Amino acid sequence: MLPSKLPFRRPPFGERLRGELGRPVRARTLGSSPRSRVWRAELSGSPVVIKQLVEGPGADERYAREVAALRLASRVRPPVVPALLGTDPDARVLVLEHLEHRPPAEDWIVGYATALARLHAATTSVTVPHGVLDGDLPDWAGPTGADVDSFLGLAQALGVPVPAGVRVELDALVDRLTGTPGHALLHGDPCPGNDMHTADGVRFIDFEQAALGHGIVELAYLRIGFPTCWCATAPAAPLLTAAETAYRTAWRAATGTEVQGDLTDACAGWLLRGDALVQRAHRGTTDQLARIPHDDWRWGTATARQRLAHRLGVVAGAIADTEGITDLGGLGRLATDLRAALLTLPHRLKGRGWGYLPRPSRAVGERPQPSIGPLPARRP
C-alpha cells in the first residue's frame, strides 16, 4: 500500500505507456483496497485517474474484464463510462478520464436505470463488429443446482413445508436463467458507488466483474435490493416503476427491440443465491443460507436476514401479481411462508419493520467519494 502521508508519487506504469501518454508530472493516492489502488494524476496538466489491480487470485482476469468492458462501452454516445486513455497489461494498470462527481438527486435511480440500459445495449447493436465479443468477457454465471439445494435446506431448517413441485420449478428456473446466452454488456456489480453522477449523466466505473448476459438480471437490482452491493435499498413503488420504465425506454431507443427475459425470474434467481448476502471476499466460502437460522450479520446498510426478508417479499409479491402466467406458483407460497418464519427469528435491528430495506436516498444511496481537489503545488 502506498503511504498515505505522501502528497504525490510516481505512478506505477512502465515506459511504454509513459511514452504513449507523456510523462506524468505528479500523482496522489485516492484510495486502496485488497484488490486495487487508485491515484489521481496530472498528465501534461490534465487530470486523469490511474487504477492498478494488485497481485492476487484472479487479478489478471479482473484486469482483462475491465479493459474489455471499457473498450466495448466506449461505443456508447453520450458516454456511460470514463474514457480509457491507456493501459499497461504487465502492471495491470488503466489510465482513465477524470470525472467530476456530483451529489445525486433524490430520484437518482431513474437516471441510473437509463444509463444502465444504454450500457447493456453497447454489445447488442448491429453495428458491433462480428467477433468483437470473443475473448475476455465470460458469460454471466447464474444460480446453480447447489443454490437450489441450499434454499430448500433453509426451508427445512426453519420448519417450513416445501410445496409439491417446487424443486421442479426451481430447476426449470435455473435452466431458464442460464440456458440461453445473452449478449448485453453486464457491469457485474452495478452498485451505488460504482456510478459517477456527472453534469452529462451517469457513468459507471469498476468493471472487474463484467460479463455478457441478459440485461434483465441487472435491471432486477432495483427491485430486489442491489443484491451484490453494500448499499441494499428499496425504492418506493412509484420511483421503482419510473426507473424500470426508464430502463425499458432507453433499451428500446438504443436497440429497437423490447427488453428480453422475465423480471420475476431474475428476482427469483437472486433470491436463491446465498452468496449475495455477503461481501465478495466471503463468497464461495460456505453455505450462507445455512447460517441464517442461527446467525445474522450486518453488511453495509442492512443485515443478512433483513436482505433475505426483502427478497422473499419481492419474489412472493411478483409471483402473486403474475398468477396464471408464471411457472413459479409453488415458490411464491414457499417465499411467503419462509418470510413469515424468518421474521420470528431474533434480529439485530430494533423496532418495527426491521424486515424492510431503507429507501435509496442520497444518505444511503451513495458511498462517500474521495476528495479529488487540486493537487498541491509542485515542490521546488
Side-chain angles (χ1 to χ4, degrees):
M1 180 185 300
L2 293 179
S4 59
K5 65 181 180 181
L6 294 180
F8 51 84
R9 179 173 174 148
R10 179 174 175 169
F13 46 74
E15 293 305 320
R16 180 190 62 77
L17 182 57
R18 203 179 307 280
E20 290 179 6
L21 295 172
R23 187 170 299 276
V25 293
R26 48 199 170 137
R28 175 198 291 169
T29 303
L30 288 181
S32 64
S33 73
R35 302 168 67 87
S36 63
R37 296 168 182 162
V38 181
W39 292 264
R40 181 185 186 271
E42 287 184 0
L43 298 175
S44 302
S46 298
V48 298
V49 172
I50 300 170
K51 177 179 179 179
Q52 182 182 38
L53 278 70
V54 300
E55 186 70 41
D60 289 336
E61 179 188 358
R62 290 186 285 110
Y63 176 80
R65 287 197 192 196
E66 182 145 21
V67 171
L70 286 168
R71 285 175 173 163
L72 290 168
S74 69
R75 297 178 173 84
V76 179
R77 290 291 181 271
V80 290
V81 296
L84 180 62
L85 304 176
T87 62
D88 186 343
D90 292 337
R92 292 186 297 276
V93 165
L94 307 92
V95 182
L96 302 164
E97 173 190 9
H98 171 263
L99 300 174
E100 292 290 345
H101 179 77
R102 296 184 172 190
E106 293 293 342
D107 62 347
W108 62 267
I109 66 168
V110 177
Y112 164 98
T114 298
L116 188 65
R118 296 175 59 241
L119 171 71
H120 289 165
T123 48
T124 61
S125 169
V126 294
T127 62
V128 176
H130 177 71
V132 77
L133 303 183
D134 297 337
D136 293 320
L137 287 183
D139 291 334
W140 176 77
T144 66
D147 293 313
V148 174
D149 292 339
S150 177
F151 183 74
L152 296 179
L154 173 64
Q156 182 178 13
L158 293 179
V160 177
V162 176
V166 166
R167 177 74 203 215
V168 174
E169 289 181 5
L170 296 181
D171 287 342
L173 169 67
V174 169
D175 289 342
R176 288 197 299 274
L177 289 173
T178 61
T180 306
H183 299 290
L185 175 56
L186 303 183
H187 182 284
D189 194 25
C191 301
N194 287 342
D195 55 344
M196 301 286 287
H197 295 256
T198 76
D200 299 320
V202 174
R203 298 205 214 176
F204 292 96
I205 59 174
D206 292 342
F207 284 85
E208 299 171 31
Q209 304 299 314
L212 298 175
H214 289 289
I216 197 85
V217 301
E218 290 190 341
L219 172 59
Y221 268 54
L222 298 172
R223 186 174 289 265
I224 204 68
F226 293 93
T228 64
C229 310
W230 71 278
C231 183
T233 58
L239 192 57
L240 175 62
T241 299
E244 291 177 351
T245 299
Y247 178 96
R248 295 179 185 277
T249 300
W251 175 272
R252 190 182 307 112
T255 68
T257 65
E258 299 298 327
V259 174
Q260 299 298 307
D262 185 275
L263 192 55
T264 300
D265 275 3
C267 289
W270 287 115
L271 171 62
L272 296 182
R273 301 176 74 166
D275 270 355
L277 296 172
V278 293
Q279 301 178 55
R280 185 180 298 119
H282 303 301
R283 293 170 194 165
T285 60
T286 191
D287 183 345
Q288 304 297 340
L289 289 178
R291 299 172 58 193
I292 289 292
H294 316 289
D295 190 17
D296 195 11
W297 57 94
R298 187 161 195 122
W299 170 33
T301 60
T303 74
R305 289 177 180 172
Q306 189 182 18
R307 290 169 184 263
L308 183 58
H310 172 76
R311 295 172 195 175
L312 288 164
V314 166
V315 169
I319 293 172
D321 289 342
T322 57
E323 185 175 2
I325 301 175
T326 181
D327 294 325
L328 297 173
L331 174 61
R333 296 190 295 276
L334 177 58
T336 298
D337 294 344
L338 268 176
R339 188 174 189 277
L342 184 64
L343 294 179
T344 67
L345 297 175
H347 52 85
R348 301 175 71 178
L349 297 178
K350 296 181 179 180
R352 297 181 61 186
W354 73 267
Y356 296 92
L357 299 182
R359 299 300 187 197
S361 67
R362 283 182 292 185
V364 298
E366 179 192 15
R367 177 179 290 167
Q369 299 290 329
S371 174
I372 49 177
L375 292 172
R378 188 198 301 256
R379 291 176 178 174

